[in-house]
Amino acid sequence: MKRRFPYATRLRQLPPYLFAEIDRLKQEAITRGTDIIDLGVGDPDLPTPPHIVTRMAEAAADARHHRYPSYEGLMEFRQAVAEWYRDRFGVVLDPATEVLTLIGSKEGIAHMPLAFIEPGDAVLIPDPGYPVYQAATAFAGGTPYALPLYPSNGFLPDLESIPLDVLRKAKMLFLNYPNNPTAACAPEAFLAQAVAFARRHRLILCHDAAYSEIAFDGFRPSSVLSVEGAKEVAIEYHSLSKTYNMTGWRIGFAVGNADILAGLGRIKTNVDSGVFQAIQLAGIEALKGPQDCVAAHCKVYQERRDVLVEGLTRLGWNVPRPRATFYVWIPVPPGHNSTELAKRLLSEAGIVMTPGVGFGPHGEGFIRAALTVPVDQIREAVERISKISL
Ligand SMILES: *Cc1c(COP(=O)(O)O)cnc(C)c1O
């Protein structure tokens, strides 16, 4: 298409949006009146717990919160983060310098390379991975270097195989565990190895822990900051979005190395004006209030996971049972590729799943199902899949 106002190179250079075709087919199916089961988007279907909503409503009515918030976030919110972090991970943080409030963790991820990456610098990013790492790198003029994630490695990148000439140009390493889209979890030994690697090669280690609280069967994912010396090189992103069903509210935070956070904060000062204070007060309520809602959410996802994994296994699919996140990363049955399978599931069964290749070339061979619909719809999805011949 010829545009009257052509996009800048930084936009044009982004990889094509591979989900656009699926989105279009989904819209067409909805227009035709198909009863769609949408396992596509990773957006919790359950509501935000009522005590958090109530706190927000009170705070929204208070005129003191109607003005510009502070850039780095309310001190009380950052203190609540530090307390939550100490209780959850046993890591002590200085709320003044080691906690930064974000407009959702996506915002903090997207802005990070702008603070530290020069044109030509390499940024190491997982493939498959959350697409923002790559886009953010490209916007800053950096060069993304893909770290392939293989099932044989438990979807942990082989850091030692990165060529030396890449490492010489590399300034930043993004990791994400529990992982979207593969649902893999990192053992503490791997996080320790990543910290040692970042220290040795002078890399900024950005660990995206958006799913640290969405875990099953009693499993508790670790923080990279629990690793001795991690604070010298690492920050960690957290989000209230997935933990408390608050994706629409836009609040998250980054914690860890004060210099790295100051750089990110400097970018933010020039771009945004912080998070609505009423939302920060609701965030404090989320972090300091009763936590049984989190266990209840996990229980719901766990049941959905079991219905999907066991259902597909009965159909002869080979589906590993994830220990965390609300995704199931499903190996595509032999003879298919992820895009073609996604299209067939949509056109023949009215089911939306995300083709793995949309998360990077090494996502090919997999399709991602998000457990964000009621369990009876998941049962129905398995039933529909059993009726199509793959
Ligand atoms: C959902 C998600 C985020 C972003 O969450 P926010 O709503 O922006 O806090 C970050 N990383 C990963 C891997 C995600 O899946």
Side-chain angles (χ1 to χ4, degrees), residues 131-172:
V132 183
Y133 315 133
Q134 172 160 5
T137 300
F139 286 170
T143 308
Y145 180 84
L147 305 176
L149 306 183
Y150 298 110
S152 55
N153 257 351
F155 299 106
L156 305 172
D158 180 3
L159 299 173
E160 299 304 329
S161 73
I162 302 168
L164 266 181
D165 61 316
V166 172
L167 282 174
R168 268 194 286 271
K169 290 184 285 183
K171 283 228 183 101
M172 194 173 281

Side-chain angles (χ1 to χ4, degrees), residues 141-223:
T143 308
Y145 180 84
L147 305 176
L149 306 183
Y150 298 110
S152 55
N153 257 351
F155 299 106
L156 305 172
D158 180 3
L159 299 173
E160 299 304 329
S161 73
I162 302 168
L164 266 181
D165 61 316
V166 172
L167 282 174
R168 268 194 286 271
K169 290 184 285 183
K171 283 228 183 101
M172 194 173 281
L173 162 63
F174 279 103
L175 293 173
N176 164 220
Y177 295 98
N179 184 261
N180 176 12
T182 68
C185 299
E188 251 165 70
F190 174 79
L191 296 176
Q193 191 201 334
V195 167
F197 186 82
R199 295 177 67 159
R200 182 150 30 98
H201 297 287
R202 298 179 178 281
L203 301 171
I204 293 173
L205 170 54
C206 298
H207 184 237
D208 179 355
Y211 296 93
S212 67
E213 306 314 298
I214 311 294
F216 313 122
D217 312 315
F219 173 61
R220 299 283 271 166
S222 316
S223 162

Side-chain angles (χ1 to χ4, degrees), residues 7 18 37 54 88 98 147 157 194 242-243 359:
Y7 289 158
L18 278 155
I37 300 176
T54 303
R88 170 67 176 87
E98 295 178 327
L147 305 176
K242 315 291 163 61
T243 310
F359 299 99

Side-chain angles (χ1 to χ4, degrees), residues 242-290:
K242 315 291 163 61
T243 310
Y244 302 102
N245 301 335
M246 290 174 72
T247 47
W249 299 54
R250 311 315 301 136
I251 183 162
F253 53 90
V255 294
N257 182 278
D259 294 337
I260 301 173
L261 294 180
L264 174 58
R266 188 81 179 266
I267 294 288
K268 286 174 57 55
T269 310
N270 286 283
V271 176
D272 66 63
S273 300
V275 173
F276 182 25
Q277 285 190 5
I279 295 180
Q280 296 189 58
L281 293 177
I284 295 171
E285 181 65 30
L287 293 169
K288 294 177 83 155

Side-chain angles (χ1 to χ4, degrees), residues 88-104:
R88 170 67 176 87
F89 298 112
V91 173
V92 175
L93 298 167
D94 175 358
T97 58
E98 295 178 327
V99 180
L100 182 65
T101 307
L102 300 173
I103 310 172

